[in-house]
Amino acid sequence: MRTGSVLQGRRSHQKSRTGCQQCKQRKVKCGEEKPTCGNCRRHGVDCSFTLSSHTKGSAPNDNRPSPHSQTITPISTPRVIHSGSPNGGSQLQTATSPELHIPDLELLHHYTTSTAYTFSLHPLLQTFWRVEVPRIGFTAPYTLRAILAIAALHLAVLCPERRQFYVTQANTHHEAALKLATPEMANIGPDNSAPLFLLSALSSFISCAKPLKLGNFFLLEDNNIADWLLLIRGTGTILDFADESLKTGPLASMFAVRDQHQNFQTCRRHHILEELRQLILDEAQDQSMVHLYIGTLDEMNRSFIMCFEYHLRLETADVFVWLMRVPYDFLVLLKNYEPLALVILAYFCVLLHQLEWMWCIKGWSTHLLSQIYDQLSPTHRVWIRWPIEQIGFLPPT
């Protein structure tokens, strides 16, 4: 080693007390360049100078929530919206607003933890309504809105002190659902048949969940065929158009349960319906009307066989399928309160009575039968004695 050499240590530098946080953590001198210092730029890291400049540039109250606000704003979480496209598919849109609407989250939570279990007593169908239906709803806003609407009506029953609040929520969501679904109905295809089918089913539950009141004739609203009935009759069109795609798609588990009831022998008429059929043949004079009435009665036969001969527990589809299949001309006769049409509807009340365990259908069979009774003459009231006895309706004296 050469003599006279000087051992040189590490070059010192003056510490910077105003450098960025990243340089301080690395214990290196910060060049303090703005908005990103040179060290952070070379290392490709976010510089605290950049973050502080953004903070200074924003108004202090920009993101401050109102004391009465019911929303939560997470950090940098975009909201994703699926909206139906005219061709029957779904179009993905993103919105910059990151807000979560707490009342809607409450409704979705209640649906998955409570309401979904009330549509069926079959474990497989309960799982379908709880898991698969919301999943389909996330691809179609009208189905998701219907889910929130039925959950709101369920809460209105369970929490009477907040009934009006939940009923208002239900009306808002259902009206929005129907508005969104209207253009989709004209373009039914494999991509939207499942959510439209579910919307129809949920709409029937929503209409049944509305308060019972005098003049509410179930199938009629303001003396016209109810909008919800026209909607679920559209379900028949969906089944005809996309039956196979529905059975192999997201609704497969539901149709698997339904198909278990398809193999029952229904070539014969149930004896009660056969007796009514003979009364209609004796009463009706016009052959076209006879054909209409008998055909409508025959549509009910399979459900009667399942219930009263095989003693099976009916699911909602086993009952509401009749409303999908009856001719539109028969609904017009109901609208005009034609006696024979009302008598046939009274027999439908017996099937409806099999669903009284559902909170949204409870009381409907008696309510509807009482209004049919009021519309019939004493002669035709005798015709509905069997439904009266089956339901346990006590006519007024």
Side-chain angles (χ1 to χ4, degrees):
M1 184 174 63
R2 288 187 304 174
T3 60
S5 63
V6 179
L7 182 63
Q8 296 191 2
R10 181 171 149 184
R11 186 175 61 181
S12 63
H13 62 263
Q14 185 178 1
K15 293 183 179 180
S16 173
R17 298 185 182 278
T18 57
C20 71
Q21 293 297 323
Q22 288 70 25
C23 287
K24 288 180 179 179
Q25 291 175 358
R26 297 177 59 241
K27 296 182 180 181
V28 298
K29 179 176 175 57
C30 180
E32 301 184 26
E33 298 89 348
K34 304 290 181 64
T36 302
C37 76
N39 288 333
C40 289
R41 187 165 52 252
R42 283 194 302 275
H43 289 87
V45 298
D46 292 331
C47 184
S48 61
F49 289 156
T50 303
L51 299 176
S52 62
S53 65
H54 286 171
T55 303
K56 292 177 182 178
S58 60
N61 294 326
D62 280 351
N63 295 320
R64 183 176 301 170
S66 167
H68 303 291
S69 174
Q70 297 195 57
T71 59
I72 294 177
T73 305
I75 299 175
S76 302
T77 304
R79 181 175 61 187
V80 180
I81 302 173
H82 290 271
S83 63
S85 60
N87 62 3
S90 63
Q91 182 179 3
L92 188 66
Q93 298 177 341
T94 59
T96 57
S97 173
E99 295 180 350
L100 298 175
H101 196 242
I102 298 304
D104 290 349
L105 295 180
E106 177 198 15
L107 296 180
L108 186 58
H109 174 265
H110 181 75
Y111 175 86
T112 56
T113 59
S114 182
T115 308
Y117 290 95
T118 66
F119 300 138
S120 175
L121 297 175
H122 195 292
L124 183 60
L125 290 178
Q126 288 178 341
T127 300
F128 167 77
W129 283 105
R130 180 176 61 86
V131 178
E132 296 300 329
V133 172
R135 185 177 296 166
I136 295 171
F138 293 138
T139 70
Y142 45 84
T143 305
L144 186 59
R145 290 273 198 167
I147 291 171
L148 299 181
I150 192 64
L153 289 173
H154 192 204
L155 280 168
V157 172
L158 299 177
C159 307
E161 70 279 3
R162 301 190 68 196
R163 178 182 175 278
Q164 191 53 53
F165 171 74
Y166 288 123
V167 169
T168 300
Q169 281 189 297
N171 290 337
T172 299
H173 283 301
H174 194 218
E175 289 173 6
L178 296 178
K179 184 176 181 180
L180 290 168
T182 298
E184 294 280 320
M185 293 295 291
N187 298 282
I188 299 175
D191 292 335
N192 65 359
S193 58
L196 285 174
F197 181 89
L198 291 176
L199 171 65
S200 299
L202 289 166
S203 292
S204 65
F205 296 150
I206 290 168
S207 299
C208 292
K210 292 180 179 178
L212 298 172
K213 60 183 180 180
L214 191 64
N216 190 346
F217 211 77
F218 190 61
L219 308 182
L220 304 177
E221 293 174 353
D222 300 325
N223 205 35
N224 289 311
I225 300 171
D227 290 338
W228 72 268
L229 178 56
L230 296 177
L231 181 62
I232 73 164
R233 286 175 62 80
T235 305
T237 303
I238 297 172
L239 290 173
D240 293 338
F241 184 84
D243 193 29
E244 288 306 316
S245 63
L246 287 174
K247 287 183 178 180
T248 57
L251 305 187
S253 59
M254 183 185 71
F255 280 93
V257 175
R258 175 191 171 212
D259 288 345
Q260 292 176 2
H261 293 173
Q262 295 291 332
N263 298 325
F264 294 104
Q265 298 298 322
T266 57
C267 56
R268 65 185 185 283
R269 292 187 182 90
H270 188 271
H271 67 93
I272 290 296
L273 297 185
E274 181 61 26
E275 293 175 6
L276 180 58
R277 179 176 179 272
Q278 291 301 321
L279 289 172
I280 292 173
L281 290 173
D282 294 338
E283 174 80 7
Q285 302 297 323
D286 190 300
Q287 286 303 307
S288 62
M289 296 301 294
V290 170
H291 180 75
L292 176 62
Y293 285 133
I294 297 302
T296 301
L297 197 61
D298 288 343
E299 290 288 351
M300 203 183 298
N301 184 64
R302 180 175 169 275
S303 298
F304 265 76
I305 295 290
M306 289 171 57
C307 182
F308 296 106
E309 292 195 13
Y310 288 95
H311 305 289
L312 294 173
R313 185 180 63 214
L314 298 183
E315 294 290 339
T316 52
D318 300 320
V319 175
F320 283 93
V321 67
W322 182 73
L323 297 177
M324 292 187 235
R325 300 303 187 188
V326 295
Y328 182 83
D329 289 343
F330 178 79
L331 299 179
V332 174
L333 295 175
L334 286 177
K335 174 184 172 183
N336 297 328
Y337 299 104
E338 290 293 331
L340 295 185
L342 292 175
V343 168
I344 294 175
L345 185 61
Y347 278 72
F348 171 75
C349 289
V350 178
L351 296 177
L352 195 63
H353 187 67
Q354 304 302 312
L355 302 178
E356 286 276 335
W357 53 268
M358 293 181 66
W359 62 274
C360 57
I361 298 181
K362 188 174 181 62
W364 263 111
S365 58
T366 301
H367 175 77
L368 181 56
L369 187 59
S370 67
Q371 295 193 89
I372 293 172
Y373 183 89
D374 291 340
Q375 293 291 333
L376 293 176
S377 66
T379 301
H380 287 106
R381 286 174 180 173
V382 177
W383 289 33
I384 64 171
R385 182 170 296 170
W386 185 81
I388 289 174
E389 293 173 351
Q390 289 293 312
I391 293 175
F393 167 64
L394 186 62
T397 56

